[in-house]
Amino acid sequence: MKKYIIIICLLIGLALTSAKACDVCGCSLGGNYFGILPQYNKNFIGLRWSQAKFYAHMNHNSEYLNEEYSHDTYSKVELWGRFYVGKKLQVMAFVPYGYNNMDGTEQKVSNSGLGDVTLLANYMILNTGDDDQKMLKHTWMVGGGVKLPTGENDFQDNGVLVNRNFQLGTGSTDFLLSSVYTVRYNKIGFNAETGYKINTRNSDDYLFGNQFHASGQFFYWQNVKSVALLPNAGLYYESAERHQDGEVLQANTGGSAMLLTAGLETYVKRISVGVNYKYPLSQKFNSDDVASIESKQRWMLSVTYNF
């Protein structure tokens, strides 16, 4: 029991540790967030819809330049699945289709299409979840993967390359590390997740900053006849370093944000339906002297088939 307490403390500590700096918005936002995974011991395939909004404002403090603003919305539908290869090893795949919209004083553009495909492998280090004799149950998975440059990264408006964050893909092959830990005592549980994304340079010698995210959320398991309900709430943190174009650090890139999360997972036989809402509590982006950037609310809806 003592070693389990040590593991819990280490994971919670990692989940609450700040990294150096989130891409302000767009295709490289956050990395792959699992959330509370449906029925950890089964394969599944499903769809997730998500949306994130940002507001940018520029005040030049000049009588010759007007104030500028931009309302940016990043929507995504994602085909995802989990498949066990042996008892302890699982493979996950994420195939996103994005729709980005920028509504600003200087630029109004939209872009949609295939995003960057991600492949991950997770190894089960600890699993007592299938032991019906135990009130206290744990599962702990660690993994890694690769994000492929399948999304468009050269979208232009009137012959000029649109903001890198607005692109559907990064144009780079990137690498991911992840850890997901769940503990449950009777009907009450806690889920801790961390992820780190190591980015590489694309063919234009542009480097998106490395990214980190962590979440911790409590949940309550309740059966209502043949339906299982899992309400949950907690905190989500994300951060990213500044971008580099060649060796030049880019303004208005990178930063961090802490968001409050609340959601509900519903299980009916082989079908799982989940909804999650995130509201920003604090944020600090690396904006320059004339710009301010604000993260708005986010949401995610998922439907999966377990087999």
Side-chain angles (χ1 to χ4, degrees):
M1 182 64 186
K2 183 177 179 180
K3 68 177 182 180
Y4 291 153
I5 294 175
I6 294 173
I7 289 172
I8 294 171
C9 292
L10 288 173
L11 284 170
I12 294 174
L14 177 60
L16 297 177
T17 299
S18 297
K20 287 184 179 180
C22 125
D23 288 319
V24 169
C25 49
C27 60
S28 52
L29 178 71
N32 282 298
Y33 170 67
F34 296 121
I36 298 178
L37 294 171
Q39 301 186 11
Y40 68 90
N41 59 339
K42 294 183 178 181
N43 303 322
F44 73 73
I45 188 169
L47 291 173
R48 305 198 292 186
W49 294 266
S50 61
Q51 186 181 88
K53 294 184 177 183
F54 292 82
Y55 174 73
H57 177 259
M58 296 182 68
N59 185 358
H60 301 282
N61 292 315
S62 169
E63 60 180 304
Y64 304 106
L65 297 172
N66 294 324
E67 292 187 29
E68 302 174 34
Y69 70 84
S70 182
H71 294 275
D72 301 338
T73 302
Y74 300 87
S75 303
K76 180 171 62 176
V77 59
E78 190 171 43
L79 175 67
W80 70 318
R82 178 181 66 195
F83 308 94
Y84 274 90
V85 183
K87 191 174 182 179
K88 293 188 175 183
L89 183 65
Q90 60 179 229
V91 176
M92 300 189 73
F94 303 81
V95 182
Y97 185 93
Y99 180 82
N100 301 335
N101 183 70
M102 182 188 300
D103 181 11
T105 51
E106 303 300 314
Q107 195 169 44
K108 298 180 185 293
V109 291
S110 296
N111 190 20
S112 61
L114 179 69
D116 288 343
V117 173
T118 298
L119 301 174
L120 286 169
N122 292 319
Y123 183 78
M124 187 79 72
I125 292 181
L126 176 68
N127 181 12
T128 63
D130 54 0
D131 190 342
D132 293 332
Q133 303 303 313
K134 293 186 176 182
M135 297 289 287
L136 185 65
K137 301 179 181 182
H138 310 258
T139 60
W140 182 24
M141 297 180 298
V142 296
V146 60
K147 184 191 71 62
L148 304 174
T150 53
E152 179 188 28
N153 71 309
D154 57 358
F155 176 67
Q156 298 183 0
D157 180 33
N158 294 323
V160 178
L161 186 70
V162 179
N163 189 313
R164 295 280 185 176
N165 284 328
F166 190 79
Q167 304 292 332
L168 295 167
T170 64
S172 59
T173 300
D174 306 323
F175 303 94
L176 301 100
L177 300 172
S178 65
S179 172
V180 181
Y181 175 76
T182 304
V183 58
R184 179 161 69 98
Y185 181 78
N186 199 0
K187 294 183 178 182
I188 300 174
F190 179 78
N191 175 267
E193 176 187 333
T194 60
Y196 190 70
K197 183 163 167 277
I198 304 168
N199 297 318
T200 66
R201 293 182 180 273
N202 61 23
S203 59
D204 296 325
D205 199 27
Y206 193 90
L207 177 66
F208 287 82
N210 291 345
Q211 296 167 266
F212 172 84
H213 77 266
S215 68
Q217 48 195 334
F218 290 92
F219 62 85
Y220 181 78
W221 186 280
Q222 178 64 52
N223 291 316
V224 181
K225 295 183 178 180
S226 61
V227 178
L229 301 175
L230 201 74
N232 55 84
L235 296 173
Y236 175 85
Y237 173 82
E238 65 183 7
S239 66
E241 298 172 357
R242 290 180 185 268
H243 300 180
Q244 294 183 41
D245 191 351
E247 298 302 321
V248 180
L249 290 173
Q250 299 299 291
N252 301 323
T253 64
S256 61
M258 178 73 76
L259 299 96
L260 177 68
T261 71
L264 175 66
E265 305 291 326
T266 305
Y267 305 93
V268 183
K269 295 182 179 179
R270 292 180 177 270
I271 304 297
S272 304
V273 179
V275 60
N276 180 267
Y277 177 79
K278 293 184 176 68
Y279 181 83
L281 296 176
S282 65
Q283 49 193 298
K284 184 178 181 180
F285 299 115
N286 298 322
S287 54
D288 57 27
D289 293 338
V290 301
S292 63
I293 302 165
E294 183 180 359
S295 174
K296 299 294 187 178
Q297 72 276 4
R298 308 176 191 177
W299 63 265
M300 177 182 292
L301 174 66
S302 64
V303 177
T304 61
Y305 175 76
N306 307 288
F307 58 96

